Every structure is written in C-alpha cells, then in structure tokens.
Amino acid sequence: MGRAESVGGKMNAQDPSDLWSTSDGEAELLQDLGWYHSNLTRHAAEALLLSNGYDGSYLLRDSNERTGLYSLSVRAKDSVKHFHVEYTGYSFKFGFNEFSSLKDFVKHFANQPLIGSETGTLIVLKHPYPRKVEEPSIYESVRVHTAMQTGRTENDLVPTAPSLGTKEGYLTKQGGLVKTWKTRWFTLHRNELKYFKDQMSPEPIRILDLTECSAVQFDYSQERVNCFCLVFPFRTFYLCAKTGVEADEWIKILRWKLSQIRKQLDQREGTVRSQSFIFK
C-alpha cells in the first residue's frame, strides 16, 4: 500500500493503519502517532490509564469489533470510558465531527476537546498517553529458587485476573429503611460498586461487593422510569438512570461483571477438584 494522497484536502479510500496525510509535506504513518497503541486490548488500556494516567488522559487503539473501527480510551476520575472512532474509507468520524484527514483529526485533540456521554460526565481530553515510555533496565537477582511439591501440573496453571470494566456516573437510589430517592455518584471498579454523596466526596457511603450479587435486571415495580435493581442476599438495591440508554449501559456492564465473576469461581472450583483428586 502507498501513502495517503491529499486531494483537495480529502483522503482517498485506504487502510488508515498504513496511511497518513501528506498535506504540507508531512507524510507520516499512523504508527508514528505517539498515542496510537494499535492492538492494545480494552483491559490493558484501562489498566494503563487507571494506574499511570491522569483525569483526561487518552489513547487511540484498534477496536476488536471490525476493521476500520477504532476506540478512543479516556481516563475519567475513577473510570475509563471508550468511544468509537470510525474510518469510513474517506474520513474519520468521532462524536459529532467528521475529519477529512488524520492530520485534521489529530489537530482536533490539540485544542483539548470536551466530550460527554449518556452519564452526563464531561471530560476534557488533556493528556495523550504515549505508546513508548522510558523504562529502567534494572532486574532483581534470584537468590532463592525452590519448588513446592504440591502435586500440581501445567493443567492447573489457569491465568486469572479480575476484569476492570470501569464505569461511573450519577444514579438515583432508593433508601433502605426510609424509601426516599436520592441522587448518588456511583463508581464501578473491579468487583466493587461504590456510591458517594456526590462526585467530589472523598469517601464512599457504601461499597457493594459484586461477588455477593446474584442478579441485575430491569425493574418495573417502582413508580419511576429507567430503573433497575441489584439483588443481594441481604437486600435488593433499586437504582434509576436519567435515560433508558444509560440504564441499559449500567445493566450490560454489571451483568458482564457477574458473568466474569462466575467464570472465575468455576475455574477455581475446577482447580480445587483436580487437586483433591490428586491427593486422594
């Protein structure tokens, strides 16, 4: 494939991962964009931005859905949000804007655009997260190295890690004893759903352990719209979103969390059963 030819300020249809813009004599590959992380996964993007990014840090990566679709991963206060960037063959679409070249697309980010989602959270895109970061070439020396005779085999080495799948936003929650409704700021991180008095509160009112949650579902028992509930052994929590789309987003990510938790529990139980069989 050749480089992109800028004709009248428009790009010809071609693969954006191989092409850039030649306007003003600046021909660059997409790979040369310092904050393009190509095949970085959603999980890895969230881990990077949450552990080493700032509020407003962002990166561009390939989407795993189809060719020509990218994901802009953006760090908010306590979560990472993902937005589609689509290459149509002639332009790049992001949000309500369309850009005729990659160069124009990148210029847009130089102006620190403000974006918002269904949750109402506004984020200023401030800090592009670099693909290459300086690293020390320092390693620890092994001083002790022995094997524990557990009877386990390579089949017992099942890689596990809690899914990140972060989300945050305002929801209206029904009280436990007093059935009044109050707006609270919710954050979802790993297997914990926390809610705060508001977005600026440093300490949560409560932390819900999703490993104890048995179900997440739409709820029509309340005299409100866009409601859903989380079922725990000790209580059912009723929550309402501003829009149906927002409620659907919360339900999807929470259900996905529960499915991941169940998979991990099944893997652990399978490992325990295999170990019990070995020692019999």
Side-chain angles (χ1 to χ4, degrees), residues 70-195:
Y70 297 83
S71 177
L72 185 75
S73 300
V74 185
R75 164 77 185 268
K77 182 184 177 184
D78 295 306
S79 69
V80 175
K81 299 183 181 297
H82 306 273
F83 302 90
H84 274 148
V85 176
E86 182 183 6
Y87 179 64
T88 65
Y90 300 91
S91 63
F92 288 85
K93 290 184 176 180
F94 172 59
F96 298 115
N97 296 326
E98 188 170 358
F99 306 91
S100 60
S101 70
L102 279 165
K103 184 176 180 180
D104 290 340
F105 175 69
V106 173
K107 277 184 178 179
H108 177 66
F109 288 87
N111 295 318
Q112 295 190 347
L114 177 72
I115 60 175
S117 62
E118 285 284 342
T119 61
T121 306
L122 298 177
I123 311 171
V124 179
L125 303 181
K126 302 177 185 176
H127 315 290
Y129 193 94
R131 183 173 65 252
K132 296 181 180 179
V133 178
E134 290 294 327
E135 299 175 334
S137 182
I138 301 172
Y139 298 88
E140 298 288 336
S141 299
V142 177
R143 297 302 182 190
V144 178
H145 189 182
T146 185
M148 304 298 290
Q149 301 302 317
T150 63
R152 299 179 67 188
T153 69
E154 64 274 12
N155 295 328
D156 299 312
L157 298 177
V158 180
T160 60
S163 60
L164 293 175
T166 57
K167 189 171 178 60
E168 63 183 359
Y170 280 107
L171 294 170
T172 304
K173 185 186 76 69
Q174 186 187 64
L177 296 176
V178 182
K179 304 300 182 181
T180 56
W181 294 84
K182 293 183 179 180
T183 300
R184 298 293 185 223
W185 178 257
F186 282 77
T187 65
L188 177 63
H189 188 234
R190 291 194 171 92
N191 295 332
E192 293 182 340
L193 180 65
K194 302 178 183 179
Y195 60 89

Side-chain angles (χ1 to χ4, degrees), residues 187-256:
T187 65
L188 177 63
H189 188 234
R190 291 194 171 92
N191 295 332
E192 293 182 340
L193 180 65
K194 302 178 183 179
Y195 60 89
F196 303 75
K197 182 178 180 181
D198 54 47
Q199 189 176 359
M200 303 309 295
S201 298
E203 297 296 329
I205 297 173
R206 188 165 188 170
I207 302 174
L208 299 177
D209 185 355
L210 293 179
T211 62
E212 300 176 0
C213 182
S214 60
V216 179
Q217 57 199 27
F218 276 106
D219 181 80
Y220 304 98
S221 65
Q222 309 301 313
E223 295 181 356
R224 288 171 174 260
V225 295
N226 309 320
C227 287
F228 59 98
C229 64
L230 285 76
V231 181
F232 288 83
F234 54 90
R235 176 181 164 187
T236 297
F237 290 83
Y238 295 94
L239 307 172
C240 293
K242 288 184 178 180
T243 67
V245 173
E246 184 181 352
D248 190 55
E249 286 181 358
W250 276 105
I251 291 172
K252 283 181 178 178
I253 189 66
L254 287 167
R255 283 179 173 173
W256 182 81

